[in-house]
Amino acid sequence: MHIHEKMIKPVMETKYLTVENAARYRSIIRLFYLNYEKLKYWMYQEEVYEELTEDEYFREYTPEQCQQDLAALVSWGNLLTIQDTRKVASIEEFKNKKFRYQLSEAAVEIERMVVRLENLSIEGSSLEPSLLERIRSSIGRIQEMEGLDAEKIYGWWSDLNSDFVRLNQNYQDYMRELNSVKAEELMKTREFLVFKDRLIEYLRSFVKSLQVNVSAIEQSLKEVEPGTVERILKVVTDYELSIPRIDGEPDEKLIRDKMYGRWDSIQEWFRGREGKESEALKVFDTTNEIIRKITRYAARISEQSNTGANRREEYHKLANMFGRCRDINEAHRLAACVFGIEKPLHLKGNFARETESINSGVFEEKPYVMTIQPRVRTYKERIARSGIEDKTREKEAMRQETIRRIEKEKRILESYIQDGRLEFSTLPEISAGVRDTFLLWLSKALENKYYRAKTEDGLVYRIEQPDVRETCVLACEDGTFQMPAYTLIFESDGRQGTWDTKNQKRGSR
């Protein structure tokens, strides 16, 4: 037996079967595999998380754990990623990369082996427009299938699915080859120019066929009568269940879900769903982007090969022009035209132009005056000196206005105090300013250990019953709120003295 390098190299793709948290990794791979069987190859992180959390086992599963698990599977080679940047609207969205995930070839084969142990090939890559034509023909015959026997319907369904699977697999494998590192390196070499035209023509013929057939398939799907597909899929499911199998009876629910899932994938591939663009449109854009990339690489190679000869001719012509100059000043002017001014003066500013016409010259517009300040640290702008303005009258008027405002507020507040008592439960609807003042008085008294305080103008008050259990609703202009039914008791002679909260004695001002 010959021991080669591939034999002794560890198979990283099988790591997810035995490592810690293998239950989570295996569940994710199985989810991708089941969707792979339904011809849904690409999934977003949000779709994976939503599918997993429907099971009781993943009730405490978080989006962060899902992202970490997907990243681990990508690093082991089980999943392939592609960044969806087609509709990025900002740099921030581009930085926050949004990936679509797909099972790798190795993961598909490994999961097939795991499925066989628990209780199902990728062909050569190519683009076959004939597959699109066959799919178009098959979908166009949907109406004809009704009324035929189950065997013919099942054969039609098998051909349609087989062509659809081959179309997806062949296209994905072929695009993967064109986007590989090896293909990128080959496109940078001159040998690539030999078959560049043939490759572009091959891709363009596929794009042309894609445009024509996808439009026809879309139209055929729209013309399908409601209920026709459901009846055909029921016949196919019943026929599948009627096939005798040695390894046991198949699960009817799994087969039905598989059939309907494949039909949904076909519709989603050609028509899209729920406002999302179809996979056919993504295929169209990706193929066109490959063609543009090939053209760019080919143009770059051609430029590199022609750059030397073109520059030599230009330099020779310039040297002859400088040789015909009469003096050094004329040579300086020629150099300024060819190479630009040696030391240009750049002025930056928010210049407001009177016209946006490209035919308007600099000398036709009004001059812009700019003040240039010295670039020294000791420079200070001159301060315009002026005399002190007498504002005694304005100050006195402002003082009198303030006094009148305070007196007015004081009268309003005292109007709610009846017989030296302020009962919150009996207050009528009050303004927001009055409410804030009353609550301020209440909070000051509650913060004092003797439940006493005084107002801004020296009126002493106390809380009658600090531990009141009753509540009341205080109505205000901007709403209502519930609070304890406190009562504030105001002392009649509070204005003649101050309350000493430390010694509990009244002293004179």
Side-chain angles (χ1 to χ4, degrees):
M1 184 180 68
H2 174 66
I3 305 298
H4 50 81
E5 184 180 358
K6 290 185 177 180
M7 186 181 297
I8 61 178
K9 182 180 178 181
V11 183
M12 297 297 294
E13 289 84 352
T14 60
K15 194 172 182 179
Y16 77 95
L17 295 171
T18 56
V19 296
E20 186 179 358
N21 295 326
R24 290 177 4 201
Y25 297 135
R26 291 192 60 184
S27 300
I28 293 174
I29 294 296
R30 182 56 58 87
L31 174 61
F32 273 93
Y33 182 76
L34 293 176
N35 281 276
Y36 178 90
E37 287 295 295
K38 298 177 183 179
L39 306 182
K40 184 177 180 181
Y41 300 103
W42 295 97
M43 294 184 69
Y44 289 97
Q45 176 188 333
E46 293 80 4
E47 295 175 336
V48 176
Y49 177 75
E50 183 179 355
E51 290 278 349
L52 291 177
T53 51
E54 290 180 359
D55 192 273
E56 187 68 29
Y57 184 83
F58 289 91
R59 287 300 180 189
E60 298 180 359
Y61 197 50
T62 64
E64 290 76 17
Q65 290 176 320
C66 182
Q67 185 177 8
Q68 294 172 2
D69 294 344
L70 290 172
L73 291 170
V74 171
S75 64
W76 295 333
N78 300 107
L79 294 178
L80 304 176
T81 61
I82 181 172
Q83 186 179 359
D84 195 355
T85 59
R86 185 175 182 272
K87 293 187 177 180
V88 171
S90 64
I91 297 176
E92 193 65 26
E93 292 181 10
F94 182 81
K95 290 181 179 178
N96 298 330
K97 300 177 181 178
K98 187 175 183 180
F99 291 103
R100 291 194 301 161
Y101 298 86
Q102 180 195 32
L103 279 178
S104 64
E105 297 179 9
V108 172
E109 296 298 331
I110 292 171
E111 195 62 16
R112 282 176 177 167
M113 177 195 68
V114 173
V115 171
R116 291 192 190 102
L117 290 176
E118 290 177 356
N119 164 7
L120 282 166
S121 332
I122 298 178
E123 303 175 2
S125 58
S126 63
L127 300 178
E128 299 182 31
S130 59
L131 288 175
L132 284 166
E133 296 175 0
R134 289 166 57 179
I135 293 173
R136 182 188 67 180
S137 176
S138 297
I139 293 179
R141 294 167 52 206
I142 292 180
Q143 300 293 145
E144 302 175 12
M145 289 299 105
E146 272 200 302
L148 298 181
D149 55 49
E151 185 176 353
K152 290 184 179 180
I153 295 177
Y154 186 80
W156 167 83
W157 175 254
S158 299
D159 293 340
L160 175 60
N161 279 270
S162 176
D163 293 339
F164 186 66
V165 170
R166 286 182 57 194
L167 175 66
N168 273 278
Q169 292 180 349
N170 292 349
Y171 172 78
Q172 291 167 6
D173 295 342
Y174 195 78
M175 288 297 112
R176 188 184 299 115
E177 291 180 5
L178 291 180
N179 285 305
S180 64
V181 177
K182 182 179 179 180
E184 292 275 351
E185 295 298 328
L186 178 61
M187 291 179 187
K188 298 176 183 178
T189 62
R190 296 192 178 186
E191 290 77 7
F192 176 68
L193 296 175
V194 177
F195 59 93
K196 179 260 300 182
D197 294 334
R198 195 152 47 93
L199 178 59
I200 291 177
E201 183 62 29
Y202 182 68
L203 293 173
R204 283 178 176 168
S205 65
F206 176 75
V207 170
K208 184 178 179 180
S209 175
L210 185 67
Q211 281 183 306
V212 174
N213 289 288
V214 167
S215 300
I217 292 172
E218 245 187 302
Q219 186 62 32
S220 298
L221 290 173
K222 290 179 181 178
E223 294 174 355
V224 175
E225 295 180 1
T228 301
V229 175
E230 285 75 6
R231 291 190 292 271
I232 291 176
L233 292 180
K234 186 180 185 307
V235 173
V236 174
T237 304
D238 294 340
Y239 188 86
E240 181 84 14
L241 292 171
S242 66
I243 299 176
R245 303 179 186 276
I246 299 176
D247 54 351
E249 292 296 327
D251 191 328
E252 181 179 355
K253 184 177 183 304
L254 289 178
I255 292 180
R256 185 184 299 107
D257 291 345
K258 181 179 178 180
M259 298 297 179
Y260 282 89
R262 288 190 174 185
W263 176 251
D264 290 341
S265 297
I266 292 174
Q267 288 198 98
E268 189 175 348
W269 205 94
F270 290 103
R271 297 180 62 184
R273 187 193 302 175
E274 298 177 357
K276 297 181 181 179
E277 63 182 13
S278 63
E279 195 69 27
L281 183 58
K282 295 178 182 178
V283 169
F284 180 79
D285 293 340
T286 304
T287 308
N288 282 330
E289 182 59 32
I290 291 291
I291 294 174
R292 285 192 289 268
K293 182 171 71 172
I294 294 171
T295 306
R296 285 197 302 269
Y297 277 121
R300 192 176 303 171
I301 294 172
S302 300
E303 288 177 1
Q304 290 175 354
S305 60
N306 297 328
T307 297
N310 294 340
R311 288 294 174 86
R312 281 195 296 269
E313 292 294 331
E314 292 175 0
Y315 292 151
H316 185 265
K317 186 174 182 178
L318 280 175
N320 290 333
M321 292 174 66
F322 277 103
R324 291 195 296 270
C325 292
R326 293 188 297 272
D327 51 26
I328 188 64
N329 292 326
E330 186 177 352
H332 284 324
R333 290 195 294 270
L334 178 60
C337 294
V338 176
F339 303 110
I341 302 174
E342 184 179 359
K343 295 180 180 179
L345 177 63
H346 297 279
L347 298 177
K348 295 196 302 182
N350 188 17
F351 304 106
R353 296 191 59 188
E354 296 180 352
T355 177
E356 296 295 333
S357 174
I358 61 174
N359 299 319
S360 176
V362 177
F363 297 101
E364 297 175 5
E365 300 186 18
K366 293 182 180 180
Y368 179 80
V369 179
M370 178 182 291
T371 303
I372 307 298
Q373 297 180 352
R375 298 178 63 181
V376 294
R377 294 183 179 179
T378 57
Y379 172 75
K380 293 183 179 180
E381 293 185 1
R382 289 186 178 182
I383 301 175
R385 298 182 179 181
S386 61
I388 299 175
E389 186 179 354
D390 185 10
K391 295 187 178 181
T392 304
R393 292 184 179 179
E394 290 82 351
K395 292 180 180 178
E396 181 63 23
M398 187 179 297
R399 189 177 74 85
Q400 293 297 332
E401 179 64 27
T402 304
I403 291 174
R404 286 193 295 270
R405 180 176 55 79
I406 293 175
E407 289 295 332
K408 181 180 179 181
E409 293 177 355
K410 180 180 174 182
R411 289 193 299 271
I412 295 174
L413 294 175
E414 290 181 349
S415 66
Y416 295 103
I417 302 174
Q418 305 293 334
D419 298 329
R421 298 170 61 86
L422 176 62
E423 299 180 2
F424 284 89
S425 60
T426 61
L427 286 176
E429 183 177 296
I430 57 177
S431 64
V434 174
R435 176 200 62 204
D436 294 341
T437 302
F438 287 167
L439 293 181
L440 177 62
W441 291 354
L442 182 62
S443 63
K444 287 171 64 177
L446 289 173
E447 291 173 358
N448 184 273
K449 64 179 180 179
Y450 301 108
Y451 302 105
R452 290 176 176 270
K454 63 179 180 179
T455 62
E456 292 79 359
D457 59 341
L459 187 62
V460 179
Y461 61 92
R462 61 182 175 83
I463 300 178
E464 183 180 42
Q465 190 178 356
D467 57 347
V468 63
R469 299 298 179 91
E470 299 178 3
T471 61
C472 64
V473 177
L474 188 60
C476 307
E477 294 177 349
D478 54 352
T480 60
F481 69 96
Q482 190 174 7
M483 61 172 288
Y486 288 116
T487 300
L488 301 183
I489 306 298
F490 292 85
E491 300 184 3
S492 60
D493 58 343
R495 300 180 186 280
Q496 282 70 38
T498 59
W499 183 263
D500 186 353
T501 57
K502 182 175 181 181
N503 299 316
Q504 292 298 297
K505 296 178 180 180
R506 189 181 310 280
S508 60
R509 285 188 175 179

